[in-house]
Amino acid sequence: MAIIYVDEVKGSDGPETQGTEASPFQSVSVAYVQHGPDQEYRVKKKEDEEYKPAAAAALKKAVKYAAQHKKKLEAAAARAEKEAQDKAAREAVLEKAKSLKISQDPTLPAPVRINLDETDDKIIGALRKSDSEPGSAVRVSVQGRVQRVAKQGGLIFVWLRRGMAIMQCVLTGDLSKTYDALTLIRETSLEIIGELWELPPGTHAPLGRELRADFFRVIAAAPGGDDAFLTRVPADFDTTSSQASEALLNLRHLTLRHEKPSAVMYVRGVVEGAFHTAYRKLGVTKVSPPALVQTQVEGGSTLFKLDYYGQPSYLTQSSQLYLETCLPSLGDVYCIEKSFRAEKSLTRRHLSEYTHVEAELDFITFDQLLDHLEELICSVVDLTLEDPIAAKAIKEYNPDFKKPSRPFKRMRYADAIDWLRGKGIKNEEGNDHVFGDDIAEAAERKMTDEINETIMLTHFPAGIKAFYMQRAADDDRVTESVDVLMPGVGEIVGGSMRIWDYEQLLAAYKREGLEPAPYFWYTDQRKYGGSPHGGFGLGLERFLAWMLKLWTVREACLYPRYMGRCTP
């Protein structure tokens, strides 16, 4: 009978433990499992005491633990054996399936190539409803990628995806027994040919129909195992986790294939188109200002500097100044272009490259500018919701979304300061807000979310706004400026009336320490028939974050660019 040592303080229950005095176990139960009943077990419970025979209670507990452990091993062995048998059976089926070849039936009519969401009357009118239905349905051919596969008895259901459209297809008979069918995996490209059938009552599929296949072929197979699509980019990824988000952004080219990212990109396209449509209806002309500039708009600290044939140049922060130069020749103008801000910020609503919807309007008042913004935003929302796919996505990802009610709440900056003070919301230094503070993002969002409606925050102090903003006639301390705030996001629009007096603009250059010479082309607008005018810039990604209730504006970008990321 050997002596097995157990040191509850310094011992180890690892696989390398020998049970000697130099290599003791930590628990009697594990030692018993390893060495069985015909041994002497000695235990040390404290570092400064000697080994003593194991207590009867400890041995009884060890016997019970060993019995349970044996049962677990036997169950695991049984599972492993069954899995091996199942694997062997699957491999046998797959091996047999390799010999099964399919081909198109030459007696069937040639298929008509259609899109997955085809709604042509010829196709819809020919949907087969039952086996007893006279005549024959149109035979069609569709192509796409596998979104999902489900096996039910001898049937294989395949949800085929092409863009945003999805079609349910059914493989039966020999088609469902082929090697390609049995090994179908998500993202495999297929062509499927067959007849379109109307779904029976009580069943559901996109557009209420399914394709019952008589032939299919693999165009390009997707990989399985560790390289499988859902292994690399799981469907239930967490966009609120910065670590998970960064990893998935490295695979953005794949994550875009998931339902939500693709839906967001679709809605983005609809929203951008809605801005174009709204402005066509309002008679505002589209222009395309340059992205490479040599003058700043919003402050030098956020400029991306580059060498332009030996001259210092920048990526544009805003197209505003160029839009203003178009007013005399084209009237009211707008653009949808990229803007760039070198902000060292990693908040949920900041990007280094973003899409900027900007407009400049001639011969207007500040109130007219606010009315225009209200009309534009409401029109774009209405136009977006007219698209059934976009409306469905918004309802799914933001079920509480409501169109902004008109008129928008208008609140002066001074009143917002009083509101923040009354609610005890502090500034970034932890002090009460005072007139002149640049209201920080956190405080602004708290106020917007609590008021819970669209807010037009107006009349900001001149000291915290850009040089070109017109002072208010009733208070020289403030500008005729506006930020449009939306619940859940905060600011989505910044706008103002522009200084249109020549001498006032020169004074603004001097006040801000700007050299007027590089702005000669901007200053000339005040020399040759100046006019009261104003405009705004709207961040498209923030607008989408509001409509779709996105955690971060990065979700609204095809490939987001922010501090530290310029890939893929």
Side-chain angles (χ1 to χ4, degrees), residues 32 58 198 253 263 290 442 461 490 533 566:
Y32 193 90
E198 186 178 80
H253 57 290
H533 64 282
C566 194

Side-chain angles (χ1 to χ4, degrees), residues 100 119 158 189 225 231 259 280 384 438 448 511:
L100 181 59
T119 56
V158 180
S189 296
T231 300
E259 291 182 10
R280 278 197 299 272
T384 300
D438 192 355
T448 309
R511 185 173 62 251

